[in-house]
Amino acid sequence: PVSIPRLLDSALRLTAVALDGGDATPDLRQAELQLWTSDGQELDMANCQRFTLSRLSASAAPLERLKALLNCEEPRAVQLAAVGHPLLVFGTLEGALQAPEKPKAKANPRPNRPKSEEEFFERVEEYLRHHGRSTLRLLGNRVPLPKGSFTLKKLLLQRRDKFILDVYGSVEINHSRRWRWRSQGVVTKRRK
């Protein structure tokens, strides 16, 4: 008999069972896969309940499909037993096998603020080289602004020779190092 492990939030899914190719004669090769349960913490053979999951014989197919899901949280003692002949049981252990460890606090979750605008532009350029085109929102979360009352978009528009902002709010590096569009005044000459 094999004891079912006791694990929180997990289950043992049995998928197939087969006769183990031992040295027994073919006419004696009959077996049962049984589930033994007892109400106590330890399995008491005199008072245990037996439930047959599968019956196999040498004349049947070598592998028999099995659909069983055994809860591993049972407070009772539960064992799988091969009766009559050794068996091979196939299955998987599913669920949260261990309690998830809490992630350790990061040493420095946010990088410190840049001292100047130039240092900020260097960090933005480094981030864009490493991650490629990025949205303003993501860039604002990843690269902190320098001290002062700046907005990210205004800062990036100051350096149009380094960065390109498109209409969708994405930022990328300006590889041509020149601004493509000339700014036009809001009021133009009146037509006659």
Side-chain angles (χ1 to χ4, degrees):
V2 176
S3 295
I4 305 268
R6 288 188 188 146
L7 298 168
L8 292 177
D9 298 329
S10 60
L12 183 65
R13 182 179 301 276
L14 304 178
T15 56
V17 63
L19 285 171
D20 193 8
D23 56 352
T25 57
D27 54 327
L28 296 177
R29 296 177 77 180
Q30 295 179 3
E32 287 185 354
L33 178 64
Q34 293 181 353
L35 186 66
W36 297 352
T37 62
S38 178
D39 292 333
Q41 295 291 332
E42 295 296 321
L43 192 66
D44 181 19
M45 296 305 290
N47 296 329
C48 75
Q49 299 167 348
R50 297 176 186 210
F51 178 73
T52 301
L53 295 174
S54 178
R55 283 196 178 103
L56 294 148
S57 65
S59 60
L63 184 73
E64 185 175 316
R65 288 205 166 269
L66 181 65
K67 287 186 178 180
L69 188 65
L70 306 176
N71 187 4
C72 293
E73 286 188 68
E74 286 289 326
R76 303 180 293 170
V78 178
Q79 288 186 345
L80 277 177
V83 178
H85 193 272
L87 295 174
L88 292 174
V89 181
F90 301 94
T92 57
L93 195 55
E94 299 177 351
L97 301 179
Q98 295 176 351
E101 295 180 16
K102 293 182 180 178
K104 295 180 181 178
K106 296 178 183 176
N108 192 1
R110 287 195 70 160
N112 51 0
R113 290 186 178 273
K115 305 274 189 254
S116 65
E117 289 181 27
E118 283 307 314
E119 187 180 345
F120 168 75
F121 292 132
E122 289 172 10
R123 287 189 186 184
V124 169
E125 189 170 1
E126 178 185 332
Y127 180 82
L128 291 175
R129 284 194 193 284
H130 189 264
H131 293 74
R133 175 182 281 189
S134 179
T135 61
L136 278 171
R137 176 179 281 183
L138 183 64
L139 190 62
N141 287 332
R142 301 289 187 221
V143 182
L145 291 170
K147 291 189 177 185
S149 59
F150 300 109
T151 62
L152 180 62
K153 189 172 182 179
K154 284 183 183 178
L155 277 173
L156 294 174
L157 284 174
Q158 287 176 8
R159 295 301 304 265
R160 291 181 178 155
D161 60 325
K162 277 191 164 187
F163 308 106
I164 297 174
L165 274 78
D166 64 6
V167 233
Y168 302 109
S170 295
V171 182
E172 67 179 316
I173 296 175
N174 187 357
H175 294 286
S176 67
R177 296 291 185 195
R178 59 190 166 121
W179 181 242
R180 297 180 190 173
W181 300 281
R182 295 188 180 183
S183 52
Q184 297 179 356
V186 176
V187 179
T188 57
K189 289 185 178 180
R190 187 174 176 171
R191 292 186 186 178
K192 292 183 182 182

